[in-house]
């Protein structure tokens, strides 16, 4: 198990000639030995896994061999090994899946404000170059688990005599947890101090007596999960492309808050993914509220599809939870050749275009 950025970089450099040729960044600790707690839990977990390190090193070499500028590879690795581990690994894993599947794409594509909904313009994570260009942006998914753990970590030093229990529904929207970590945190602390418990929507936060074995009870429903996250894709609407096909790529991983989605227990993941995509594409077709100068209904049509990438790298007999869902009402649909290439080239890729389920 590596405990510092330098150690992780050294491990990766020993597996990749590309990384070995890059300058070593400033060192950082991933574990605080004084408090016996992680400073960067995601980096601490990933850095100690040989299978993930092997994949990251392989992808770095494959990127370099395909002509990706070294400055782009270096930036990804610098972000990965520092405080942006969560987002950087998701991006690298999405690129890696395309590389391993021999799918042609280009990274870090600059877009003007006239081409995307962001009036200031922005760089998109990439564009698939299979037939007609299909632009994409990569985001981590599984934020509920990740934010719940961050909330527990933030509360624990305040209530050192208690075990902080975060239970109830695991389907609560990420906006609720984001607010608890931000603007509502002081009110939460005050309520826990006086009452030892607090409820937010279906979320239950309690201060329990410390025991050798602690239990937390949770409930889960994939359709409620999808309902509570129906607006989630529009959080990234600034990246939506106006005149070309565009998809969001959501990366799931058990160490990045995606334990539930990575397991697919009782087909929970499949039910959620399809329901989430269907709501994203169809729930807002008559929504006239404004979003970046267009209606939400118009913005929903600019999303050609969503793709889920299962970024778990350890060998397993289980199928990966990859999925591609296409918007039946897209203004710029994904070309058939691109769709077929993704579905046929990426192992375990589920696919649905809602052809007979759009009304």
């Amino acid at each position: 198990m590596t405990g510092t950025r330098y150690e992780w970089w050294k491990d990766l450099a020993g597996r990749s000639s590309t990384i070995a040729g890059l300058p070593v960044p400033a060192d950082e600790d991933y574990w605080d030995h004084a408090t016996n707690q992680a400073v960067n839990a995601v980096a601490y977990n990933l850095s100690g896994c040989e299978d993930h390190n092997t994949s990251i090193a392989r992808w770095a070499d494959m990127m370099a061999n395909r002509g990706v500028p070294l400055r782009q590879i270096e930036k990804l690795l610098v972000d990965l090994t520092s405080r942006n581990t969560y987002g950087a690994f998701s991006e690298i894993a999405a690129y890696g899946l395309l590389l391993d599947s021999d799918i042609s794409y280009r990274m870090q594509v600059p877009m003007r404000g006239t081409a995307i909904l962001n009036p200031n313009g922005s760089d998109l994570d990439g564009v698939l170059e299979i037939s007609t260009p299909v632009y994409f942006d990569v985001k981590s998914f599984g934020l509920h688990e990740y934010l719940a753990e961050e909330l527990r970590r933030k509360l624990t030093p305040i209530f050192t005599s208690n075990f902080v229990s975060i239970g109830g529904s695991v389907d609560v929207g990420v906006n609720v947890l984001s607010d608890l970590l931000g603007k509502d945190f002081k009110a939460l602390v005050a309520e826990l101090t006086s009452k030892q418990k607090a409820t937010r929507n279906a979320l239950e936060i309690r201060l329990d007596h410390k025991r050798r074995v602690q239990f937390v009870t949770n409930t889960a429903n994939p359709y409620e999960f999808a309902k509570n996250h129906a607006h989630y894709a529009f959080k990234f609407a600034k990246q939506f492309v106006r005149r070309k096909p565009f998809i969001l790529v959501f990366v799931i991983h058990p160490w990045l808050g995606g334990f539930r989605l990575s397991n697919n227990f009782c087909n929970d993941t499949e039910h959620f993914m399809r329901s989430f995509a269907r709501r994203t594409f169809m729930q807002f077709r008559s929504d006239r509220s404004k979003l970046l100068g267009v209606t939400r209904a118009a913005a929903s049509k600019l999303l050609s599809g969503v793709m889920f990438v299962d970024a778990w790298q350890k060998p397993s007999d289980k199928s990966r939870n990859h999925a591609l869902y296409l918007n039946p009402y897209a203004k710029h649909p994904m070309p058939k050749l691109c769709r077929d290439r993704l579905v046929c080239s990426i192992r375990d890729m589920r696919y649905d275009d809602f052809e007979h389920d759009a009304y």
Side-chain angles (χ1 to χ4, degrees):
M1 182 70 72
T2 61
T4 69
R5 187 187 203 186
Y6 176 76
E7 290 173 343
W8 193 7
W9 193 279
K10 183 179 179 181
D11 185 301
L12 293 172
R15 302 168 189 268
S16 162
S17 58
T18 301
I19 300 175
L22 298 174
V24 180
D27 202 9
E28 292 180 15
D29 287 325
Y30 297 149
W31 190 268
D32 186 344
H33 294 282
T35 61
N36 200 33
Q37 290 189 349
V39 177
N40 185 340
V42 177
Y44 185 73
N45 289 330
L46 284 174
S47 65
C49 179
E50 182 173 353
D51 294 305
H52 286 78
N53 288 341
T54 298
S55 293
I56 293 166
R58 182 180 73 252
W59 295 332
D61 286 339
M62 292 175 75
M63 288 179 194
N65 291 337
R66 291 201 177 192
V68 175
L70 286 178
R71 58 180 174 78
Q72 291 186 358
I73 300 174
E74 181 182 3
K75 183 181 184 307
L76 280 171
L77 293 167
V78 167
D79 288 347
L80 172 73
T81 57
S82 188
R83 295 306 176 93
N84 192 27
T85 307
Y86 192 100
F89 177 75
S90 295
E91 196 172 333
I92 292 170
Y95 292 145
L97 180 65
L98 296 175
L99 287 167
D100 288 340
S101 304
D102 198 26
I103 293 173
S104 179
Y105 70 94
R106 185 160 41 96
M107 289 169 48
Q108 299 300 311
V109 183
M111 304 292 285
R112 295 181 178 179
T114 55
I116 60 177
L117 290 188
N118 185 349
N120 299 317
S122 179
D123 285 354
L124 295 184
D125 288 329
V127 56
L128 300 173
E129 296 180 321
I130 298 171
S131 54
T132 302
V134 175
Y135 294 86
F136 66 89
D137 213 56
V138 181
K139 304 297 178 186
S140 300
F141 205 95
L143 275 174
H144 178 285
E145 294 176 34
Y146 179 80
L147 294 179
E149 180 59 21
E150 286 298 299
L151 180 60
R152 191 190 67 78
R153 290 178 186 277
K154 193 172 181 180
L155 289 169
T156 296
I158 299 173
F159 301 103
T160 55
S161 299
N162 300 99
F163 172 76
V164 179
S165 167
I166 301 179
S169 174
V170 297
D171 304 317
V172 173
V174 296
N175 58 310
V176 175
L177 284 160
S178 296
D179 289 345
L180 287 173
L181 280 162
K183 65 183 184 68
D184 296 337
F185 184 73
K186 287 184 178 180
L188 174 64
V189 170
E191 187 171 348
L192 288 172
T193 300
S194 63
K195 300 180 180 179
Q196 282 71 56
K197 62 180 180 179
T199 301
R200 297 293 186 276
N201 291 24
L203 198 68
E204 300 171 358
I205 306 165
R206 301 195 315 273
L207 301 181
D208 294 334
H209 295 295
K210 286 186 176 180
R211 300 180 178 88
R212 289 186 177 181
V213 179
Q214 305 281 171
F215 293 94
V216 178
T217 302
N218 293 114
T219 61
N221 184 303
Y223 300 105
E224 183 181 3
F225 193 25
K227 178 182 178 182
N228 291 338
H229 290 82
H231 292 80
Y232 187 70
F234 297 98
K235 182 178 179 180
F236 314 109
K238 284 187 176 182
Q239 309 297 85
F240 290 11
V241 178
R242 295 177 182 272
R243 300 176 186 86
K244 297 288 184 179
F246 170 79
I247 65 172
L248 282 173
V249 178
F250 290 120
V251 175
I252 59 174
H253 190 284
W255 298 341
L256 277 69
F259 180 80
R260 171 186 178 182
L261 295 179
S262 296
N263 281 280
N264 195 26
F265 180 70
C266 293
N267 297 320
D268 176 84
T269 301
E270 294 180 44
H271 294 322
F272 163 73
M273 287 179 174
R274 189 180 189 279
S275 181
F276 168 82
R278 195 174 187 283
R279 282 186 175 275
T280 302
F281 302 149
M282 304 179 199
Q283 181 172 326
F284 307 97
R285 291 180 58 219
S286 301
D287 192 332
R288 311 309 296 174
S289 61
K290 290 290 185 176
L291 182 70
L292 297 169
V294 301
T295 64
R296 196 173 293 267
S300 71
K301 294 179 181 178
L302 296 180
L303 188 57
S304 307
V306 296
M307 186 167 82
F308 287 92
V309 168
D310 185 342
W312 183 242
Q313 296 303 308
K314 283 182 170 290
S316 173
D317 294 333
K318 295 182 179 180
S319 297
R320 293 287 190 261
N321 292 303
H322 304 312
L324 175 66
Y325 299 100
L326 298 185
N327 187 351
Y329 300 110
K331 186 176 181 180
H332 308 290
M334 177 182 284
K336 183 178 183 298
L337 183 60
C338 183
R339 177 203 70 190
D340 291 347
R341 183 64 189 279
L342 289 172
V343 174
C344 294
S345 298
I346 299 177
R347 184 180 177 183
D348 298 328
M349 176 65 79
R350 291 191 297 274
Y351 162 72
D352 198 333
D353 62 3
F354 303 97
E355 180 181 3
H356 303 294
D357 195 22
Y359 49 88

